[in-house]
Amino acid sequence: RLFSIIRQAVKNEIFVVITTQCQRGSVLFGEYATSFKHTGSTSAFNMTTESAITKLYYVLSRKDLTFLQRNDLFISNLRGEI
């Protein structure tokens, strides 16, 4: 049910970012049986939650970008956060 809700949100161009609560390590899509890989969500890789939130504020403020361009910007290393 969670995955279908995330898929629907992404279909409606709602930006969904998956992050980890672990201090070290990263989000690895497709590594586990219950994977976010096919939901259309975006991985925060090894960003801290705080870094991911700050970057999300920046990305969502860019009204000049399309949904896909925002995704590309989020997964780009801008200031060493990834």
Side-chain angles (χ1 to χ4, degrees):
R1 176 100 175 115
L2 175 63
F3 293 149
S4 64
I5 292 170
I6 293 173
R7 275 191 291 276
Q8 186 61 44
V10 172
K11 183 179 176 184
N12 292 329
E13 295 192 351
I14 296 172
F15 209 78
V16 178
V17 176
I18 308 299
T19 185
T20 180
Q21 294 178 332
C22 299
Q23 288 183 340
R24 299 192 193 284
S26 64
V27 175
L28 302 172
F29 279 14
E31 290 292 316
Y32 309 102
T34 56
S35 172
F36 290 94
K37 183 177 183 178
H38 301 290
T39 62
S41 57
T42 301
S43 173
F45 301 107
N46 63 342
M47 282 186 255
T48 64
T49 301
E50 294 82 357
S51 177
I53 290 170
T54 302
K55 191 168 188 178
L56 190 56
Y57 284 144
Y58 171 67
V59 168
L60 293 177
S61 75
R62 296 287 309 269
K63 302 296 183 192
D64 59 315
L65 301 178
T66 66
F67 182 75
L68 292 177
Q69 288 172 322
R70 287 180 181 165
N71 184 67
D72 290 343
L73 182 60
F74 187 86
I75 63 173
S76 299
N77 188 12
L78 301 177
R79 298 287 184 264
E81 70 280 1
I82 297 177

